[in-house]
Amino acid sequence: QVQLVESGGGSVQSGGSLRLSCAASGYSISSYCMGWFRQAPGKQREGVARLSVVEGTLYYADSVKGRFTISRDHAKNTLYLQMDSLKPEDTAEYYCASAYRGGDTWSYAGCEFGHRGQGTQVTVSS
């Protein structure tokens, strides 16, 4: 079964940390560009971070640069997003995505994404 399943969301106070996980099944995330996205109520989807395949290069949105870290565990076939120094404006549903072609596609930071998970909620209180 081809799927991405996120976990690790929750409620934290401003300045706190969370680590999101995205477990993949049905394909190897090592072969695809991977990314994290978020969407707050009433707002459009926002790209947060991207991890490419060949060079393993990283890309971060300016709003999270220096606070968030994207990484990948090949053995566990899992993508992570370490989020530190969280702010109330980081509150959103977060989901991971890959360049695996599973449906509608969209572009972000040089990658064409086509498969996403269901998401996990992150709430940061002041």
Side-chain angles (χ1 to χ4, degrees):
Q1 185 178 5
V2 175
Q3 61 178 358
L4 297 170
V5 179
E6 301 92 340
S7 61
S11 297
V12 295
Q13 289 192 327
S14 182
S17 297
L18 284 173
R19 188 175 82 152
L20 305 183
S21 298
C22 169
S25 58
Y27 61 91
S28 172
I29 65 171
S30 301
S31 302
Y32 296 91
C33 196
M34 300 294 298
W36 285 97
F37 297 82
R38 67 186 182 186
Q39 188 164 17
K43 294 187 176 182
Q44 292 195 346
R45 174 178 57 216
E46 176 187 13
V48 174
R50 183 270 286 145
L51 175 61
S52 66
V53 177
V54 180
E55 301 87 10
T57 57
L58 311 178
Y59 178 90
Y60 295 98
D62 287 341
S63 57
V64 307
K65 201 172 294 182
R67 301 188 298 121
F68 290 11
T69 304
I70 186 172
S71 62
R72 173 169 48 197
D73 186 319
H74 299 281
K76 295 182 178 179
N77 207 30
T78 299
L79 183 74
Y80 300 100
L81 185 68
Q82 177 67 40
M83 305 186 295
D84 299 316
S85 302
L86 282 161
K87 304 175 181 180
E89 51 263 44
D90 294 319
T91 295
E93 180 181 67
Y94 285 72
Y95 60 91
C96 63
S98 76
Y100 180 89
R101 298 301 173 91
D104 294 339
T105 62
W106 71 96
S107 297
Y108 173 67
C111 286
E112 191 79 5
F113 292 91
H115 185 227
R116 57 161 288 181
Q118 292 301 307
T120 184
Q121 179 66 34
V122 172
T123 302
V124 185
S125 58
S126 58

